[in-house]
Amino acid sequence: MNYAVSRNANPQPLGSTVVAKFGGTSVADYDAMNRSADVVLSNPNVRLVVLSASAGITNLLVELAQGKDAERRVFLLDEIRRIQSAIIDCLNKPDVIREEIGRMLENISMLSEAASLATSTALTDELVSHGELMSTLLFVEILRERNVAAEWFDVRKVMRTNEHFGKAEPDTTALSELALQQLQPRIQEALVVTQGFIGAEAKGRTTTLGRGGSDYTAALLGEALSVARVDIWTDVPGIYTTDPRVVPAAKRIDRITFEEAAEMATFGAKVLHPATLLPAVRRGIPVFVGSSKDPAAGGTLVCNTTVNPPLFRALALRRKQTLVTLHSLSMLHSHGFLAEVFGILARHNVSVDLITTSEVSVALTLDTTGSTSSGASLLTTSLLTELSSLCRVEVEENLALIALIGNKLSQASGVGKEVFGVLDPFNIRMICYGASSYNLCFLVPGNDADQVITTLHRNLFE
């Protein structure tokens, strides 16, 4: 109780402010929310808290947005109600918050009924945003029951984005101005709790930043407010040499550079959202990654420089990759073939991940993860038809992208032998190397992915 008084009587200078972000598992239920509240209150510099939706809620909302029949809608709504009610039932004074969450659930019901008649990306974002709105309302209530002066803030007042529903891009200039006007004065007076992942376009319609966008929100707000650090609290205590669920012998990395961490995130390490680090890098703000379940276990600090960076830093894995190979004899010595291919892909909003070329063919990988509304294939019939009019198209699915992250890889000798020498038993479908000195990437059949990661990790890290 005294803690709350001391933290608000002497507001910290903004230069020492920490933004703390908590993922879905960290706000999954009443106990998890209380553990996260302990983490927040253990550091008086934490003035802004960014939350994801409670674990499982976003998936239920995404399914509702796909337009389900009445029976399925009732089941999904009951699941959402059950998860949120389990938290409300543990509160000392649940009546007011039960009413507020009840209104949210009515909204969800109404929007899901609209989705059953006609779906749209704008409607999906409006519906899905309710997960974060509910978790933040509940978290504020938990803090207030501890006599903390906590304030709920609608992030859509400051998070201006474009109209690309499902994976909106923030307008950082507008965000900066609005955050300084509306958020900065508030965080000096109270502990502010807001939503990750969601924003609003110029007309006020709700948008989302793509799956995993809560990390991005925390970093964007940190950049706008020039904070001292961004803390990402998740269910693992830091960033590891690879996914510990695939390789139990994976080791934690205590300090890692922005470049290394960004490469890891881009190539599938789920601890951080790929775009998270960009705002932090722009402003040189360190990012700490720790576990809300075990804050004492420490974590990983992502910062500008590290001492003696190793040749091999980590292995990242990205599943569900698609390889598209385009064959055309007219490509030989012709100008503009690639420009035409990329023009077609751009018209269909498809971005290319990796690319290799030969005299008469070009192979591209497409990453199918990322957008809120993902699930549908990126390779639509109209896209394939347009590509087929230009060349012969071959599509391979269920591939996995393995990325070896390191430092000055392209300048070191023997890297190829060390990596591929132990991968004799596996079919390697495509290799990308040399464009970046931080990574070496290759595609393998999806079913071999875990074994490839295990073999490489044993050889390079253990």
Side-chain angles (χ1 to χ4, degrees), residues 5-6 20 43 103 110 116 135 146 157 166 191 202 240 317 343 376 381 388 410 416 432 452-453:
V5 176
S6 66
N43 182 358
R103 280 196 291 276
M110 195 172 64
S116 70
S135 68
R146 296 179 175 214
K157 289 179 179 174
L191 176 61
Y240 282 70
L317 166 64
T381 312
S388 301
S410 56
C432 272
V452 170
I453 287 278

Side-chain angles (χ1 to χ4, degrees), residues 49 59 69 87 101 143 153 171 228 247 250 267 279 324 352 427 436 457:
V49 178
N59 290 338
D69 60 49
I87 300 169
I101 299 295
L143 289 169
F153 182 79
D171 174 348
V247 181
F267 289 109
V324 180
V352 172
N427 168 29
S436 160
H457 194 276

Side-chain angles (χ1 to χ4, degrees), residues 166-239:
K167 205 171 185 183
E169 278 300 314
D171 174 348
T172 51
T173 309
L175 167 60
S176 247
E177 287 170 15
L178 292 165
L180 290 172
Q181 284 165 20
Q182 301 196 42
L183 256 181
Q184 187 169 321
R186 283 185 164 90
I187 62 176
Q188 286 175 318
E189 296 303 319
L191 176 61
V192 176
V193 177
T194 195
Q195 306 76 35
F197 175 59
I198 66 177
E201 45 85 85
K203 294 174 192 161
R205 291 178 298 173
T206 299
T207 56
T208 63
L209 307 179
R211 295 304 287 269
S214 291
D215 294 353
Y216 193 20
T217 303
L220 283 162
L221 293 172
E223 178 189 35
L225 297 164
S226 300
V227 301
R229 198 177 69 227
V230 174
D231 290 352
I232 306 280
W233 294 99
T234 173
D235 51 359
V236 287
I239 299 172

Side-chain angles (χ1 to χ4, degrees), residues 110-128:
M110 195 172 64
L111 291 164
S112 59
E113 206 171 317
S116 70
L117 303 172
T119 60
S120 78
T121 51
L123 178 59
T124 298
D125 280 7
E126 180 65 41
L127 222 170
V128 170

